[in-house]
């Protein structure tokens, strides 16, 4: 057996992102994207480093045009400007039901936040103020902007870019611990806990720097509507996603097999929806199909949108995958024989995240 090191890129900023809450049906509820997600993965990366099973790296700062290659500048500016404004605002009080049995609500204090209140409508929507901008640039109410949101989102993008640069300089396997995650972020909309599309930014960087074809494989259990949106009209980036049937689960509106791309991009977008509760063998069989199709586009680099929310113990209850499934998936992925950058997306089962990430990374680097 021949072993190659993974280089893992991370920074402590990944633990500094603290979404206030998720507004579901008008009611604030706890976000699943908690800082501990990054905290436990960082601990695991450090312990893998101690046993010399991977190398660690910190993110470099890249120029903003690498972000503008994927997102409209106006959108990024909205994120920057809103974060900056919130950073100097006083905390906001929110009533929350803390004891439903005794019908008791408690007032909680949160660092200043911004949510959309209205979404674009009409035949030619225009936005000229902050309230309408917040709806223009978002597709849900689970993705608040806070004082440090721009900073942490940019740091996550820089982790992905640093991973991409590592591939360019000859590293075979890189991993970027991106938090906030990215694959739901569209060209000009945040949503699904995502602000900047880290995987898409990395893919576009590699394409720009090397002029070679790149593929994105998305094994987070949700459809990566953002990545699909960004590359929908190009044949330069083949996008495939395995995800829970969006007739049942977020992001609901996209992720259907008939979405195959547009114009030059027709045939370069492949959606493979799977039923809730899908198990290892069915998942891995569909992954094989996804990889076979990906190969046909002859990519020179592969970006994996890596989410662990398909795990059987994940609180979102999407698939029923075991930890070993991530080893088998990693093996299939590394058998592609091209450099791979894995970018962290979702995965909310704190207890299982360390085993899932280490199992995946270890299996990635064993080839026969
Ligand atoms: N009641 C990623 O995995 N909605 N995003 C959850 C559950 C948001 C997931 C609500 C799901 C977004 C990157
Ligand atoms: Zn997900």
């Amino acid at each position: 057996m021949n072993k190659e090191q993974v280089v893992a890129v991370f920074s402590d900023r990944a633990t500094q992102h603290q979404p206030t809450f998720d507004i579901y049906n008008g009611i604030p509820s706890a976000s699943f994207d908690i800082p501990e997600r990054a905290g436990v993965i960082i601990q695991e990366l450090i312990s893998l480093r101690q046993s010399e099973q991977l190398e660690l790296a910190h993110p470099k700062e890249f120029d903003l045009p690498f972000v503008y290659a994927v997102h409209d500048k106006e959108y990024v500016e909205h994120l920057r400007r809103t974060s900056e404004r919130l950073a100097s605002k006083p905390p906001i009080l929110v009533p929350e039901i803390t004891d439903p049995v005794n019908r008791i609500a408690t007032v909680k204090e949160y660092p200043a936040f911004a949510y959309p209140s209205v979404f674009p409508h009409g035949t030619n929507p225009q936005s000229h103020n902050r309230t309408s901008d917040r709806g223009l640039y978002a597709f849900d109410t689970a993705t608040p902007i806070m004082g440090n949101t721009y900073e942490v989102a940019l740091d996550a993008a820089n982790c992905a870019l640093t991973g991409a640069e590592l591939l360019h300089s000859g590293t075979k396997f890189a991993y970027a611990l991106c938090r906030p995650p990215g694959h739901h972020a569209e060209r000009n909309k945040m949503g699904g806990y995502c602000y900047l599309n880290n995987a898409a930014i990395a893919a576009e960087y590699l394409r720009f720097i090397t002029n070679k074809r790149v593929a994105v494989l998305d094994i987070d259990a949700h459809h990566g509507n953002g990545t699909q949106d960004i590359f929908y009209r190009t044949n330069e980036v083949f996008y495939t996603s395995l995800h829970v049937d969006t007739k049942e689960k977020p992001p609901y509106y996209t992720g259907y097999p008939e979405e195959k791309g547009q114009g030059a991009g027709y045939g370069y977008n492949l959606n493979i929806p799977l039923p809730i509760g899908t198990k290892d063998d069915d998942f891995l069989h569909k992954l094989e199909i996804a990889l076979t199709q990906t190969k046909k586009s002859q990519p020179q680099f592969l970006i994996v949108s890596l989410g662990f929310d398909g795990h059987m113990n994940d609180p979102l209850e999407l698939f029923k995958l075991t930890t070993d499934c991530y080893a088998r998936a990693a093996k299939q992925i590394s058998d592609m024989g091209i450099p791979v950058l894995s970018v962290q997306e979702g995965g909310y089962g704190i207890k299982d995240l360390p085993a899932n990430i280490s199992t995946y990374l270890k299996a990635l680097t064993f080839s026969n």
Side-chain angles (χ1 to χ4, degrees):
M1 270 204 209
N2 162 36
K3 186 174 184 300
E4 281 164 298
Q5 294 279 61
V6 178
V7 184
V9 186
F10 78 98
S11 94
D12 284 329
R13 280 224 183 87
T15 63
Q16 290 162 15
H17 172 53
Q18 187 140 22
T20 39
F21 43 79
D22 186 339
I23 300 175
Y24 185 75
N25 197 21
I27 298 172
S29 54
S31 177
F32 286 98
D33 187 15
I34 55 175
E36 287 73 12
R37 293 185 56 237
V40 300
I41 293 177
I42 289 172
Q43 280 318 307
E44 189 64 18
L45 295 176
I46 289 171
S47 101
L48 288 168
R49 166 70 194 86
Q50 277 162 355
S51 51
E52 296 181 347
Q53 301 185 77
L54 54 66
E55 277 177 54
L56 297 182
H58 287 295
K60 262 185 48 173
E61 272 184 42
F62 285 79
D63 293 335
L64 280 171
F66 289 117
V67 174
Y68 302 149
V70 157
H71 295 286
D72 290 347
K73 189 173 179 185
E74 293 69 31
Y75 166 69
V76 180
E77 276 296 295
H78 165 71
L79 189 55
R80 189 193 60 72
R81 175 183 350 112
T82 307
S83 293
E84 185 183 70
R85 196 172 54 82
L86 292 169
S88 64
K89 285 257 173 170
I92 301 176
L93 300 178
V94 179
E96 271 172 42
I97 295 172
T98 43
D99 183 351
V101 178
N102 297 304
R103 306 163 72 94
I104 294 178
T106 308
V107 172
K108 281 192 71 180
E109 189 175 278
Y110 289 95
F113 53 76
Y115 288 82
S117 305
V118 60
F119 291 99
H121 56 86
T123 50
N124 187 23
Q126 298 191 30
S127 179
H128 299 285
N129 67 55
R130 293 203 286 263
T131 303
S132 50
D133 275 354
R134 292 203 299 258
L136 183 66
Y137 294 123
F139 67 78
D140 70 14
T141 55
T143 318
I145 303 179
M146 292 138 299
N148 70 349
T149 303
Y150 178 69
E151 178 190 320
V152 295
L154 203 55
D155 192 63
N158 279 325
C159 285
L161 282 164
T162 303
E165 190 183 69
L166 283 163
L167 293 201
H168 176 229
S169 59
T171 298
K172 186 119 188 272
F173 300 108
Y175 166 73
L177 170 50
C178 296
R179 183 172 178 276
H183 75 149
H184 294 301
E186 298 184 350
R187 192 166 285 280
N188 56 19
K189 280 183 203 300
M190 61 195 74
Y193 304 154
C194 302
Y195 306 87
L196 299 176
N197 195 315
N198 309 308
I201 291 167
E204 197 57 30
Y205 171 89
L206 279 169
R207 218 175 60 72
F208 177 80
I209 297 285
T210 68
N211 208 24
K212 290 186 172 145
R213 308 170 68 78
V214 180
V216 180
L217 170 72
D218 192 329
I219 61 169
D220 182 280
H222 296 101
H223 178 235
N225 58 290
T227 315
Q228 167 168 306
D229 169 62
I230 289 159
F231 297 123
Y232 208 58
R233 288 153 209 273
T234 180
N235 55 5
E236 297 283 321
V237 179
F238 188 92
Y239 176 68
T240 318
S241 176
L242 301 190
H243 50 263
V244 71
D245 189 355
T246 46
K247 287 178 181 164
E248 308 275 353
K249 294 283 184 178
Y252 301 116
Y253 299 97
T254 60
Y256 299 97
E258 57 267 35
E259 295 155 18
K260 295 179 178 169
Q262 232 170 47
Y266 188 82
Y268 289 79
N269 192 88
L270 176 61
N271 285 328
I272 306 180
L274 297 160
I276 292 171
T278 290
K279 293 187 179 153
D280 294 7
D281 287 348
D282 289 339
F283 183 85
L284 293 165
H285 171 68
K286 290 291 163 52
L287 178 60
E288 203 56 64
I289 292 169
L291 286 168
T292 301
Q293 292 305 115
T294 299
K295 258 185 214 154
K296 290 186 186 162
S297 76
Q298 298 184 296
Q300 302 291 306
F301 297 102
L302 180 67
I303 312 283
V304 177
S305 266
L306 176 63
F308 295 117
D309 41 13
H311 189 269
M312 55 197 298
N313 298 338
D314 194 278
L316 295 188
E317 301 183 305
L318 304 170
F319 296 146
K320 290 204 163 120
L321 308 180
T322 67
T323 294
D324 182 59
C325 184
Y326 295 108
R328 294 165 69 194
K331 178 91 174 57
Q332 288 178 216
I333 288 164
S334 71
D335 281 348
M336 283 276 286
I338 57 175
V340 181
L341 167 63
S342 302
V343 172
Q344 189 64 51
E345 301 286 357
Y348 306 96
I350 299 300
K351 218 166 77 47
D352 295 283
L353 278 175
N356 289 340
I357 188 61
S358 64
T359 300
Y360 175 89
L361 293 178
K362 285 180 201 170
L364 202 55
T365 54
F366 281 100
S367 46
N368 33 20

